[in-house]
């Protein structure tokens, strides 16, 4: 018996609008003629959808191109000012909030630094503090842009941890390393009333939002499968395969790489993050006799470590040379042997961790992002790549490329903003309706309200 098709005419119209909007977003400007084969829709359907979208202001004309002997063809594109989105990165060193238009061009940003060293460090992940930073950042970028909260299509948030979606509380975050056990982040943000109830929140692991950004716009575009690594204070990863098109965050940093090894900030022993995260990297440097600058954040301390390890003549102590004592690299001398040794060991741990991802998922590409990964850069990555390929099985290691991400330090916020954008496109470019206003009480109830029991 043939399966019953429950799709309605409304469903088909929504799907057609979605197809046109997505194609114009990724490949526009395009003409009506080129939209038909690109979307698989008939010319009549394209005409109807484009007319609707032009009338609603979601699409606009963007010039014309010559045709083969006929009238010039009008080009169409997404109208950037027809909608706005917010992306939030709850990072290890700061909370970053960015406002985007519908083309994902940045319209404003606000940052709230988090203390990574010193006496204030233990409280940097207080959940009420983080929620307050998010609310204040959203209010700030909206005020600067002259927008009202009701004009926002949605807010995407990338945060550390495992995200549970609860019908009662919305997104609930579980992240032992930062002390978040079942933190109802979405409910906390809703409680303030800063945004109308119909404006949706989309809260996902930061590695997943980074992965979506790289797959949509960056070094992952065109790949059928990839692993995108977020290397910051800790480490995480997003796996994208045919089975998991939008990516799945995996707690790669809590893979055990050494039995009875260093204690990780999650409480377990021997996690990869206890050796390869920037926080652990700086701790190991100090334990080995290194001298991070006092009273600085992790990014500044890591910069100092790299300046000590990498001499200005371009020689790389990770290439296998045995560093020796001498003048400081900033003075033109030899590399700092302590910093170089700790970085070399970290590169091997990261390479071993990547080899597990290669063997388990056999991706086409592995992309390394996050502030620490980008700061360590290509010279460090070459050593990581060499170790990864030496530890992995020959067949999958021979088919994988390992490179830096292409989107820079803002990739998590861009990826977070794609979450409400993807939802908006999936609804055919329809805004979520505002809840109906409560019906007014009868006059007698208002008059006698104080007498009613």
């Amino acid at each position: 018996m043939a399966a019953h098709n429950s799709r309605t005419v409304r469903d088909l119209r929504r799907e057609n609008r979605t197809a046109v909007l997505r194609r114009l977003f990724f490949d526009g400007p395009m003409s009506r003629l080129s939209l038909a084969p690109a979307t698989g829709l008939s010319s009549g359907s394209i005409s109807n959808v484009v007319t609707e979208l032009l009338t609603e202001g979601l699409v606009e004309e963007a010039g014309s191109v010559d045709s083969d002997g006929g009238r010039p063809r009008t080009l169409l594109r997404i109208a950037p000012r027809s909608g706005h989105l917010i992306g939030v990165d709850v990072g290890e060193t700061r909370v970053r909030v960015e406002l985007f238009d519908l083309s994902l061009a940045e319209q404003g940003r606000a940052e709230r630094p988090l203390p990574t060293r010193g006496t204030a460090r233990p409280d940097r992940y207080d959940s009420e503090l983080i929620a307050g930073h998010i609310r204040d950042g959203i209010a700030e970028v909206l005020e600067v842009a002259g927008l009202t909260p009701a004009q926002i299509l949605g807010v995407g948030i990338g945060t550390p941890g495992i995200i549970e979606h609860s019908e009662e509380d919305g997104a609930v975050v579980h992240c032992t390393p930062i002390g978040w056990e079942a933190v109802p982040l979405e409910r906390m943000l809703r409680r303030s009333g800063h945004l109308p109830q119909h404006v949706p929140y989309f809260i996902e692991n930061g590695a997943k939002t980074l992965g979506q950004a790289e797959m949509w716009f960056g070094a992952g575009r065109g790949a059928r499968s990839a692993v995108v690594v977020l290397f910051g204070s800790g480490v995480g990863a997003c796996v994208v395969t045919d089975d998991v098109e939008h990516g799945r965050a995996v707690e790669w940093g809590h893979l055990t790489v050494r039995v009875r090894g260093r204690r990780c900030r999650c409480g377990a022993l021997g996690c990869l993050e206890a050796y390869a995260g920037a926080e652990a990297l700086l701790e190991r440097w100090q334990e080995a006799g290194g001298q991070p600058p006092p009273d600085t954040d992790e990014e500044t301390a890591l910069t100092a470590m790299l300046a000590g390890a990498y001499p200005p003549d371009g020689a790389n102590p990770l290439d296998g040379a045995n560093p020796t004592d001498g003048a400081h690299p900033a003075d033109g001398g030899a590399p700092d042997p302590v910093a170089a040794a700790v970085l070399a060991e970290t590169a091997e741990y990261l390479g071993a961790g990547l080899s597990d991802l290669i063997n388990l998922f056999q991706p086409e590409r592995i992309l390394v992002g996050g502030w620490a990964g980008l700061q360590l850069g290509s010279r460090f990555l070459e050593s990581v790549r060499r170790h990864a390929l030496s530890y992995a099985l020959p067949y999958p290691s021979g088919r994988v490329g390992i490179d830096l991400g292409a989107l820079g330090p803002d990739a998590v916020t861009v990826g977070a903003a794609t979450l409400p954008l993807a939802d908006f496109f999936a609804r055919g470019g329809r805004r979520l309706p505002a809840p109906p206003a409560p019906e007014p009480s009868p006059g007698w109830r208002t008059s006698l309200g104080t007498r009613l029991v």
Side-chain angles (χ1 to χ4, degrees):
M1 180 181 295
H4 177 66
N5 188 346
S6 60
R7 293 162 69 204
T8 65
V9 173
R10 179 178 295 181
D11 293 332
L12 292 174
R13 288 180 61 190
R14 183 187 67 249
E15 291 167 8
N16 290 350
R17 287 169 60 102
T18 295
V20 170
L21 287 170
R22 286 181 60 88
R23 190 52 54 203
L24 287 176
F25 178 79
F26 285 110
D27 298 324
M30 299 177 70
S31 68
R32 290 171 176 80
L33 186 65
S34 58
L35 272 170
T39 60
L41 301 177
S42 68
S43 57
S45 295
I46 290 292
S47 179
N48 291 336
V49 170
V50 167
T51 299
E52 282 184 9
L53 296 176
L54 284 169
T55 301
E56 296 168 17
L58 282 173
V59 166
E60 62 185 14
E61 295 183 352
S64 61
V65 292
D66 294 334
S67 61
D68 298 330
R71 294 167 53 189
R73 297 173 186 159
T74 301
L75 295 175
L76 304 166
R77 69 179 180 190
I78 298 288
R81 302 290 295 176
S82 60
H84 291 84
L85 313 140
I86 287 177
V88 180
D89 175 12
V90 179
E92 296 100 339
T93 60
R94 62 178 53 84
V95 174
R96 177 183 288 127
V97 179
E98 292 188 59
L99 174 70
F100 300 91
D101 66 18
L102 212 57
S103 69
L104 284 188
E106 182 185 323
Q107 303 297 303
R109 89 166 45 194
E111 293 193 356
R112 300 291 187 272
L114 301 176
T116 57
R117 302 170 76 84
T119 56
R121 180 181 176 277
D123 299 325
R124 65 171 166 164
Y125 281 122
D126 177 80
S127 58
E128 290 289 352
L129 175 70
I130 297 296
H133 285 337
I134 295 172
R135 288 192 296 263
D136 293 346
I138 291 173
E140 181 179 325
V141 296
L142 290 180
E143 182 180 3
V144 170
L147 297 174
T148 65
Q151 292 176 273
I152 299 301
L153 297 174
V155 178
I157 301 174
T159 181
I162 298 170
I163 314 301
E164 170 197 3
H165 293 280
S166 158
E167 186 172 337
E168 179 180 351
D169 292 325
V172 178
V173 184
H174 303 265
C175 189
T176 303
I178 64 172
W180 284 17
E181 299 297 342
V183 170
L185 183 58
E186 184 173 347
R187 177 162 59 83
M188 293 168 66
L189 294 171
R190 288 274 181 216
R191 190 172 59 206
S192 69
H194 276 56
L195 294 182
Q197 287 297 315
H198 69 279
V199 176
Y201 285 94
F202 300 85
I203 301 175
E204 293 290 353
N205 179 277
K208 180 173 179 178
T209 67
L210 170 67
Q212 182 144 313
E214 288 288 352
M215 297 303 289
W216 275 32
F217 314 112
R221 195 168 187 193
R224 291 173 58 90
S225 63
V227 174
V228 183
V229 170
L230 177 58
F231 182 12
S233 290
V235 290
C238 172
V239 177
V240 181
T241 65
D242 288 336
D243 298 329
V244 191
E245 179 184 357
H246 299 295
R248 173 181 296 159
V250 292
E251 291 294 330
W252 175 58
H254 302 288
L255 182 80
T256 302
V257 294
R258 187 166 183 172
V259 177
R260 295 186 295 277
R262 291 174 59 89
R263 187 168 297 280
C264 178
R265 56 184 184 165
C266 75
L269 297 176
C271 294
L272 175 63
E273 190 167 293
Y275 295 90
E279 182 176 308
L281 174 59
L282 293 169
E283 287 176 358
R284 289 168 48 233
W285 180 36
Q286 190 167 14
E287 289 167 7
Q291 297 181 349
D295 300 323
T296 57
D297 60 23
E298 285 180 2
E299 294 185 28
T300 304
L302 185 58
T303 299
M305 184 179 188
L306 291 172
Y310 294 148
D313 61 5
N316 190 347
L318 301 182
D319 287 338
N322 189 19
T324 59
D325 291 321
H328 193 276
D331 302 323
D336 172 1
V338 175
V342 172
L343 282 169
E345 185 182 47
T346 302
E348 185 163 6
Y349 275 117
L350 274 172
L354 290 183
S355 74
D356 290 327
L357 295 175
I358 294 170
N359 291 340
L360 286 169
F361 302 108
Q362 301 177 27
E364 290 178 42
R365 301 175 197 171
I366 291 179
L367 306 173
V368 179
W371 68 264
L374 297 173
Q375 191 168 334
L376 288 167
S378 57
R379 291 193 295 180
F380 181 77
L381 185 65
E382 179 54 43
S383 179
V384 174
R385 183 187 294 115
R386 186 172 64 251
H387 287 301
L389 300 183
S390 69
Y391 280 111
L393 293 170
Y395 177 73
S397 66
R399 297 162 56 88
V400 66
I402 304 174
D403 296 291
L404 292 174
L407 296 180
D410 297 339
V412 172
T413 47
V414 173
T418 67
L419 302 176
L421 180 64
D423 176 75
F424 181 64
F425 285 163
R427 287 184 277 106
R430 307 283 192 193
R431 290 175 178 266
L432 287 172
E439 295 184 4
S441 299
W444 63 265
R445 183 179 295 276
T446 303
S447 301
L448 299 178
T450 58
R451 304 188 183 192
L452 297 174
V453 251

